[in-house]
């Protein structure tokens, strides 16, 4: 990741101090991840812009495994320490054991868990497995598992008439950021099995991404979120999802020796520069009309945006990096967002939910950013109990508690509203309003 | 999958003559709400089996969740029933009764008490559906996103209401039953 010259360079005291800060943050995050383990894998509730999955809290093989596998693989590769190899092996096993006979992964729909056939989640988990092999591992079974999953995805979503992938097995419609994740998986898989047929499909997916990139006007560089019926883009530009397109485009530029993909990635970064807010965050949606959906502004998820800058060789925006670090909670997890229910001093409880499928992005970014140098801090950092005021249902205040064993939302009089023992696959929810409000 | 031996078992009861629920658009979301609540409660009640009375096409959603859920005592049974109760329910510890709007609720008798009622796909959802259609007419995607968020927030509420579906969860009045 970091080039060899960068690795040899002496760091200034300020740079060294910042590395210490990032390392400590990553080790605290790692300790928190350990509290999210269940026998079948990493569990926990999900909050998202589209909807939440707060009742089902069992293990799920969605995009959380992309960041967890890629992050621990990077640490296993760069640091000669058993704990990273151990975490990596265990996460790889989670994915293997979750595979269904048809090649799908169990509970792979993130905000729609515990559903299966999640896009881009299954491709993302397979990508995580492929990146795990980069750490020097040679697990033959990865070929079987990823091969079954990739062939299953192609069988379900490849549209032979349009020569690209739909987002649904029976409906025509494209989601560019999901196509980018799938393309990256197909590129890696094609390299591993030395079969260029997969590259043909990866190029087709990325060419669809390019088709929905704006070429002129105020939103030049931005990529539409969705193209219903495979026709025009929908005029919604999500900075976060735009950033998710960048790694695949950069990889394709390199593997296929095609500068057009790099230019597309650079244009997306131009849109990210333009849409960045003063505090280093990004709005949720910028509409072609100029309207903006301001919140929620991702905190943990912003690691994917910072990673897009970093992969492109640009400087990671400092205020965004500091904002991300500031978003770490006492538990070691990073808050999901700010502004799920408006921007006030007391956060909404969705803002502070501990979500593995957002925090994996932070783990991966930090592990890659820290590079091959030995970590300046070695000793584990322990999670601490979170106990603070949150808002529910608008202005009403409640108390949010997270310990290594449980999460609880309590009304002001102490009445439980939501309770999740971290070892359990279902949370107890007092009211649907709590789950969806 | 590895967990088949320890998961909550789902068995289909005798033929139960009712129309399947719709599984498109908001109805698919309603099914997810209903079955999440049922299996989540069955887990916390430590049930080992769920006996399902309804169209087989819907049982898939129930099994999907039960397969991921450690089972309790195999003799602790919950009944999941759509619309009307069968004459012979056996001896369950829990009854999960899903009713479509307009289907009457009959008394289960003094040996049962209602633990929770949920109204799913509430009338407010239909109201927000008007906004969603208007946003299409005026090509205002920002309205659409806002209306969708409001719709999800009011999709299901606690208690008995006028939603498309009602779920009631019943337990034995006698805590020492079984």
């Amino acid at each position: 990741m970091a080039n060899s010259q960068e690795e040899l360079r002496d760091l200034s005291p300020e740079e060294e101090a910042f590395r210490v800060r990032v390392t400590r943050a990553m080790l605290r995050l790692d300790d928190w991840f350990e509290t999210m383990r269940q026998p079948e894998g990493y569990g926990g509730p999900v909050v998202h812009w589209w909807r939440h999955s707060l009742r089902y809290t069992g293990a799920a093989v969605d995009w959380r495994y992309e960041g967890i596998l890629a992050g621990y693989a990077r640490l296993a590769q760069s640091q000669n320490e058993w704990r990273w190899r151990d975490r990596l092996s265990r996460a790889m096993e989670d994915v293997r054991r979750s595979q269904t006979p048809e090649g799908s992964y169990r509970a792979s729909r993130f905000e729609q868990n515990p559903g299966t056939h999640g896009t881009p989640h299954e491709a993302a988990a397979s990508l995580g497995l492929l990146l795990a092999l980069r750490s020097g591992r040679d697990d033959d079974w990865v070929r079987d598992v990823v091969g079954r999953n990739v062939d299953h995805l192609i069988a379900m979503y490849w549209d032979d008439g349009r020569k690209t992938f739909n987002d649904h097995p029976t409906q025509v419609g494209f989601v560019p950021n999901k196509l980018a994740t799938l393309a990256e998986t197909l590129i890696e898989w094609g390299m591993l099995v030395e079969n260029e047929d997969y590259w043909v499909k990866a190029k087709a997916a990325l060419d669809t991404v390019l088709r929905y990139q704006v070429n002129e006007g105020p939103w030049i560089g931005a990529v539409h979120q969705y193209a219903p019926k495979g026709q025009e883009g929908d005029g919604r530009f999500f900075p976060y999802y735009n950033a998710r397109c960048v790694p695949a485009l950069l990889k394709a530029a390199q593997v296929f020796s095609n500068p057009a993909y790099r230019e597309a990635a650079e244009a997306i970064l131009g849109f990210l520069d333009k849409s960045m807010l003063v505090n280093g965050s990004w709005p949720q949606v910028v509409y072609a009309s100029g309207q903006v959906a301001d919140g929620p502004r991702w905190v943990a998820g912003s690691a994917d945006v910072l990673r897009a800058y970093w992969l492109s060789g640009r400087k990671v925006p400092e205020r965004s990096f500091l904002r991300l670090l500031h978003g770490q909670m006492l538990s070691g997890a990073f808050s999901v967002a700010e502004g799920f229910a408006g921007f006030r001093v007391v956060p909404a409880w969705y803002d502070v939910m501990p979500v593995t499928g957002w925090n994996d992005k932070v783990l991966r970014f930090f592990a890659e950013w820290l590079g091959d140098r030995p970590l300046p801090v070695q000793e584990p950092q322990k999670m601490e109990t979170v106990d603070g005021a949150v808002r529910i249902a608008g202005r009403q205040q409640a108390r949010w508690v997270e310990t290594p064993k449980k999460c609880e939302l309590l009304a002001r009089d102490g009445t439980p509203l939501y309770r999740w023992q971290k070892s359990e696959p279902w949370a107890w929810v007092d009211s649907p309003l709590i789950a969806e409000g | 999958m590895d967990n088949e031996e320890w998961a909550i078992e789902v068995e289909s009861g005798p033929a139960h003559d009712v129309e399947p629920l719709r599984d498109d658009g908001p109805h698919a979301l309603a099914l997810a709400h209903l079955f999440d609540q049922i299996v989540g409660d069955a887990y916390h009640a430590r049930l080992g089996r769920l006996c399902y009375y309804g169209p087989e096409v819907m049982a898939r959603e129930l099994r999907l969740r039960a397969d991921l859920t450690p089972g309790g005592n195999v003799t602790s049974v919950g009944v999941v029933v759509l619309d009307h109760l069968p004459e012979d329910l056996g001896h369950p510890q829990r009854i999960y009764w899903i009713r479509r709007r307009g289907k009457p609720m009959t008394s289960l008798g003094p040996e049962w008490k209602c633990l929770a009622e949920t109204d799913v796909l509430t009338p407010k959802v239909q109201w927000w559906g008007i906004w969603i259609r208007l946003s299409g007419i005026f090509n205002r995607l920002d309205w659409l996103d806002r209306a969708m968020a409001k719709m999800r927030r009011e999709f299901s509420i606690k208690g008995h209401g006028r939603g498309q579906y009602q779920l009631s969860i019943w337990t034995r009045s006698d805590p020492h039953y079984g």
Side-chain angles (χ1 to χ4, degrees), chain A residues 311-383:
Chain A
L311 286 176
S312 74
R314 289 193 184 199
K315 189 175 184 315
V316 175
E318 192 179 338
R319 58 194 156 149
S320 303
F321 207 150
L322 292 173
R323 174 180 174 267
L324 173 62
L325 286 167
H326 188 68
Q328 188 166 34
M329 299 180 287
L330 282 173
S331 63
F334 287 75
S335 57
V336 171
E338 50 181 347
F340 249 106
F343 296 90
R344 302 203 181 100
V345 176
V346 176
W349 79 296
Y350 303 119
D351 291 338
V352 299
M353 286 293 273
V355 180
T356 47
W358 290 115
N359 276 276
D360 70 294
K361 284 116 185 81
V362 186
L363 178 78
R364 181 188 196 178
F365 172 59
F366 283 176
E368 292 181 355
W369 184 85
L370 285 164
D372 288 331
R373 294 170 197 258
L375 296 180
V377 180
Q378 296 292 329
E379 63 275 17
Q381 309 285 303
K382 304 305 284 181
M383 84 163 277

Side-chain angles (χ1 to χ4, degrees), chain A residues 40 49-51 55-56 59 97-101 106-107 113-117 234-236 238 285 287 289 291-292 340 423-428 430-433 436-437, chain B residues 1-3 6 29 32-33 35-37 39-41 43-44 46 60 64-70 118-119 140-146 149 152-158:
Chain A
E40 304 292 312
W49 157 262
W50 312 108
R51 63 179 269 202
R55 286 184 195 271
Y56 179 73
R97 282 186 293 129
S98 86
Q99 192 166 44
T100 65
R106 191 179 54 193
N113 276 338
T116 50
H117 306 302
D234 66 355
R236 290 190 298 180
F238 288 67
V285 194
Y287 297 95
S289 63
Q291 301 284 332
V292 169
F340 249 106
S423 57
E424 297 192 333
W426 294 94
W428 176 86
D430 172 60
S431 145
L433 184 66
E436 295 295 328
Chain B
M1 289 191 289
D2 291 355
N3 68 346
W6 57 261
L29 184 58
H33 275 247
F35 287 133
D36 280 355
Q37 199 172 339
V39 179
D41 181 84
Y43 170 76
H44 289 293
R46 303 287 181 236
R60 188 187 157 276
L64 172 85
R65 289 160 173 78
D67 281 350
L68 295 164
T69 307
T118 309
D119 197 36
R140 289 292 301 261
L141 284 160
D142 52 329
W143 292 2
L144 173 75
D145 285 337
R146 232 172 282 165
R152 283 192 298 274
R153 217 164 286 167
E154 286 158 351
F155 197 82
S156 58
I157 56 169
K158 196 174 180 175

Side-chain angles (χ1 to χ4, degrees), chain B residues 9 46-50 71-78 91-94 177-178:
Chain B
E9 191 186 331
R46 303 287 181 236
L47 301 185
R49 278 191 300 138
L50 288 171
N73 188 339
V74 288
T75 60
S76 292
V77 180
H91 302 281
Q93 271 69 28
R94 282 275 210 271
Y177 176 85

Side-chain angles (χ1 to χ4, degrees), chain A residues 104-333:
Chain A
S104 189
Y105 299 129
R106 191 179 54 193
S108 63
R109 294 190 78 173
F110 196 49
E111 79 275 15
Q112 295 181 60
N113 276 338
T116 50
H117 306 302
T119 56
H121 299 287
E122 297 203 356
S126 285
L127 177 61
L129 278 181
L130 292 167
L131 297 175
L133 294 181
R134 293 248 185 101
S135 67
R137 299 184 64 101
D138 185 22
D139 305 78
D140 281 344
W141 61 261
V142 170
R143 282 173 176 258
D144 297 334
V145 169
V146 174
R148 266 203 303 278
N149 180 245
V150 164
D151 289 341
H152 178 62
L153 294 174
I154 291 171
M156 279 191 79
Y157 302 109
W158 176 252
D159 184 332
D160 207 40
R162 293 173 180 80
K163 301 292 179 207
T164 191
F165 292 91
N166 289 310
D167 191 49
H168 191 278
T170 59
Q171 291 166 20
V172 178
F174 313 134
V175 181
N177 81 84
K178 296 184 181 186
L179 289 170
T181 303
L182 177 58
E184 194 177 354
T185 308
L186 292 169
I187 293 171
E188 290 285 341
W189 177 241
M191 274 197 274
L192 184 71
V193 297
E194 297 177 349
N195 182 340
E196 292 198 1
D197 289 349
Y198 293 105
W199 284 7
V200 171
K201 289 192 164 59
K203 282 183 199 170
L206 287 174
D207 289 344
T208 308
V209 176
L210 265 53
R211 187 176 148 200
Y212 291 101
Q213 186 167 41
V214 178
N215 294 317
E216 57 185 7
W219 308 119
I220 187 167
V223 177
H224 291 269
Q225 174 63 15
Y226 182 47
K229 298 176 184 169
Q231 294 169 357
E232 283 181 19
D234 66 355
R236 290 190 298 180
F237 310 117
F238 288 67
Y240 172 74
Y241 285 122
N242 268 259
R244 287 274 307 174
C245 298
V246 170
L249 290 166
L250 292 174
K251 189 170 282 178
Q254 192 182 16
V255 172
F256 304 141
S257 302
N258 184 345
Y261 293 128
R262 176 151 197 114
E263 286 161 18
E266 291 288 347
I268 288 174
L269 289 162
F271 166 66
L272 292 175
D273 284 341
K274 185 171 180 178
S275 55
M276 190 197 293
L277 301 168
V278 176
N279 72 346
S281 67
W282 284 267
Q284 183 65 224
V285 194
V286 177
Y287 297 95
S289 63
Q291 301 284 332
V292 169
D294 201 12
R297 301 176 196 156
W298 301 128
V299 175
S302 72
D304 266 347
V305 186
L306 305 192
R307 184 169 172 266
Y309 278 91
W310 187 73
L311 286 176
S312 74
R314 289 193 184 199
K315 189 175 184 315
V316 175
E318 192 179 338
R319 58 194 156 149
S320 303
F321 207 150
L322 292 173
R323 174 180 174 267
L324 173 62
L325 286 167
H326 188 68
Q328 188 166 34
M329 299 180 287
L330 282 173
S331 63

Side-chain angles (χ1 to χ4, degrees), chain B residues 11 15 21 37 44 53-54 57 63 67 76 85-87 103 110 113 118 125 168-169:
Chain B
E11 59 187 45
L21 299 186
Q37 199 172 339
H44 289 293
Y53 292 83
V57 66
R63 288 202 177 92
D67 281 350
S76 292
L85 294 174
E87 282 186 10
K103 300 287 178 186
K113 70 173 178 186
T118 309
V125 171
S168 52
I169 300 178

